[in-house]
Amino acid sequence: MSRPHDGHVPTTEAAPCGDDGVVLCVGEALIALTPTRGSLREAADLAVSPAGAELNVAVHLARLGLRSRFAGRVGDDPFGQRLRDALQFEGVDDGPLEVDPDLPTGLYAKDPSATDTAVLYYRRDSAATRLRTLPPGALAGVGLVHLSGITPALSPECDALVTELLDTPGLITSFDVNHRPALWSAEEAGPKLLELAARATTVFVGLDEAARLWDVATAADVRDLLPDPVELVVKDGATAATAFTPGGTAVEPALPVQVVEPVGAGDAFAAGYLASRRRGEPADAALRRGHELAAQVLTSHSDNATPPRGSTVAP
C-alpha cells in the first residue's frame, strides 16, 4: 500500500510497508570503539564493531530473514573495509555502499565507566558527510526506504538526499527521528525533524525527544502534531510504546531488563516493528517484537547485540 498524498488515511489495518521488496537503509556507517574492560582513559584494549543507526536496522532486518540493503559512504581505509565485511557477513546487500577516496570512515568511542555511557564522536568531515546521491540500482526492487534524523544533520548534501527520498512519489518510507544533540540543538533540529517526519509513511520517535524537540507531553500529543504519517510509533523508554495506525491505537509495555547501555536499542526496536509489519502482523505484535529486539541490545555493549567477530568478550 502506497502512502496517501491527499491527506486521506486508509481505514484498513494492513501494514503500510507491505511485504514485498528490499528494505533499503540509507545513512551513516560508523566504527564503534569500546573498552573491553574499565574506562576509555585506562583501557588497554578496545573492541571494534560496526555501528550507525541505519546500518543497525539493516543488520537486524537481515537477521530476521528480510532482504535488506545499505547505502552509505565510507573511507578508503581498513575501517571502511571492515564495515563492508560486516554487512556481507550479516547478509546485507552492500552494493550501494560507496568508497570515498579522500575522506575517512567515521568513528566513535564509548566510555562505559561514565554515567549513561559517554559517547565521543569523530565524524566531522567523514566520508558519510559526502553522501549526496544514491548510486544506480540502489532503489531497484526496493519496497521500503528507512531513514533517520541523524543523516540530515551531517551536511547540507545529506539533508537534501533525505528530503528527496521522502518526497519521491510512490516511495514508501520509514523515518526514525533520532535527534542527536551533539549534531544540532533542539531549537535548530525541531522544525526540520518535524517537517521530515511529516513526509514519511511510518515514523518512530521517543517521547523524551519529542518533548525536547516539540514541547509535547504524551503520545497523543505527538499524534496531533504528526497526523499525516500512516503509522506513528511513540516510544516511552522503559514504560511502553504506542502505535497509531489506520486500524486504531496499540500500546505495549516495555520488557523489564537490566540495562547495560541504551545505544542502538531504538534501531533494534524499529527493525523489529518494521519486520513484523512487513509480514502482515498486527501493530501490537510488532510493538512486542520491537521490545524484544531492543531488550537484547539494552543488555549489551554492542550497538546491534553482537560482539565483534573473533572477540572473546561477551556482548
Side-chain angles (χ1 to χ4, degrees):
M1 179 168 63
S2 299
R3 177 179 181 240
H5 289 276
D6 58 359
H8 173 67
V9 177
T11 56
T12 67
E13 172 59 5
C17 47
D19 57 4
D20 294 322
V22 175
V23 179
L24 174 65
C25 300
V26 181
E28 181 185 33
L30 293 161
I31 287 289
L33 306 174
T34 309
T36 57
R37 60 182 57 83
S39 70
L40 188 60
R41 180 176 181 178
E42 298 173 349
D45 299 293
L46 299 174
V48 182
S49 57
E54 298 84 1
L55 180 144
N56 291 336
V57 172
V59 166
H60 285 297
L61 289 173
R63 291 175 183 168
L64 291 170
L66 277 72
R67 291 180 293 158
S68 69
R69 181 179 297 160
F70 180 78
R73 198 168 180 86
V74 295
D76 186 13
D77 51 39
F79 287 131
Q81 184 58 59
R82 189 171 185 130
L83 286 167
R84 186 180 296 279
D85 291 345
L87 290 169
Q88 293 177 353
F89 177 78
E90 296 287 356
V92 178
D93 178 0
D94 66 328
L97 180 63
E98 297 183 313
V99 176
D100 191 294
D102 303 314
L103 298 181
T105 302
L107 309 173
Y108 81 91
K110 298 180 185 181
D111 192 352
S113 68
T115 303
D116 294 331
T117 303
V119 179
L120 306 173
Y121 287 97
Y122 303 91
R123 59 165 36 129
R124 186 185 298 274
D125 295 326
S126 70
T129 64
R130 279 194 179 173
L131 185 60
R132 298 183 177 93
T133 60
L134 296 182
L139 288 171
V142 165
L144 170 70
V145 174
H146 179 73
L147 304 156
S148 90
I150 295 173
T151 308
L154 297 178
S155 69
E157 294 85 359
C158 289
D159 182 8
L161 175 59
V162 170
T163 301
E164 177 187 348
L165 289 169
L166 289 171
D167 283 345
T168 300
L171 193 62
I172 299 169
T173 56
S174 64
F175 182 77
D176 193 337
V177 170
N178 242 333
H179 174 232
R180 292 291 186 266
L183 287 172
W184 47 355
S185 69
E187 292 73 21
E188 180 186 6
K192 180 65 178 182
L193 290 174
L194 183 63
E195 173 191 327
L196 293 174
R199 290 175 156 101
T201 313
T202 298
V203 173
F204 299 92
V205 64
L207 185 56
D208 57 344
E209 65 182 342
R212 184 172 66 243
L213 291 166
W214 307 318
D215 193 26
V216 293
T218 68
D221 292 341
V222 183
R223 187 50 162 172
D224 288 342
L225 199 61
L226 284 168
D228 291 333
V230 177
E231 298 199 2
L232 170 68
V233 179
V234 182
K235 303 165 290 178
D236 188 6
T239 304
T242 302
F244 299 93
T245 76
T249 302
V251 181
E252 285 293 322
L255 300 177
V257 295
Q258 187 66 42
V259 177
V260 173
E261 68 169 65
V263 182
D267 308 327
F269 184 97
Y273 184 91
L274 290 172
S276 291
R277 294 297 275 156
R278 287 182 69 75
R279 288 174 170 145
E281 297 175 13
D284 55 355
L287 291 173
R288 287 194 295 272
R289 189 61 174 141
H291 283 315
E292 290 168 0
L293 261 67
Q296 295 175 21
V297 175
L298 287 167
T299 56
S300 165
H301 277 304
S302 166
D303 281 23
N304 40 60
T306 297
R309 279 188 290 157
S311 172
T312 58
V313 181

